[in-house]
Amino acid sequence: MALVTDPDNWPLIWHCSAGKDRAGWVGTAVLLAAGAPDDVVVDHYLQSNQAIGAGALFPEGELKELIRPFLEVHEDYVRAQLAVVENRWGGVAGLFQDGFGLGDEVVDRFRSALLTSS
């Protein structure tokens, strides 16, 4: 997250093989840093299902059904992540400070940059 929060690295793109787990978690962390409510975080995470639902990755058929569990996301996945943020880290501030090792000033600067239009 130090790389993501450093404005010298912007614009920044991140990805993972399916674009939902590691990349999804970074997106979740960014939204949390911006102060997004849980429902916004959940809705954003569930957008990953649009690609598989539209058949963009694989044509309909047996192969798609076999790999569907590796490509789909469910609300309970991200709700579990949000619960860990609360229960393990005590909230977003604890996640960024103790989990990611970033001080309040870094998070405040990041949040301000995210919420300020250019």
Side-chain angles (χ1 to χ4, degrees), residues 64-85:
K64 184 174 182 176
E65 293 311 311
L66 288 172
I67 63 169
R68 183 179 298 275
F70 298 103
L71 300 175
E72 281 185 335
V73 298
H74 297 278
E75 181 174 342
D76 53 327
Y77 299 171
V78 71
R79 294 270 180 208
Q81 293 172 351
L82 295 172
V84 168
V85 169

Side-chain angles (χ1 to χ4, degrees), residues 1 3 13 26 38-39 50 55-56 77 80 86:
M1 286 306 296
L3 181 112
I13 187 168
V26 172
D38 288 359
D39 288 341
Q50 291 177 0
Y77 299 171
E86 256 330 291

Side-chain angles (χ1 to χ4, degrees), residues 1 5 33 85 88-108 111:
M1 286 306 296
T5 58
V85 169
R88 169 68 173 90
W89 302 108
V92 176
L95 172 69
F96 275 82
Q97 183 172 22
D98 300 329
F100 297 141
L102 301 174
D104 289 339
E105 68 284 345
V106 172
V107 177
D108 291 343
R111 179 179 297 121

Side-chain angles (χ1 to χ4, degrees), residues 37-52:
D38 288 359
D39 288 341
V40 170
V41 173
V42 170
D43 288 344
H44 178 263
Y45 185 71
L46 292 176
Q47 288 177 16
S48 296
N49 286 333
Q50 291 177 0
I52 189 165

Side-chain angles (χ1 to χ4, degrees), residues 1-14:
M1 286 306 296
L3 181 112
V4 173
T5 58
D6 184 348
D8 290 339
N9 295 321
W10 301 347
L12 178 71
I13 187 168
W14 64 84

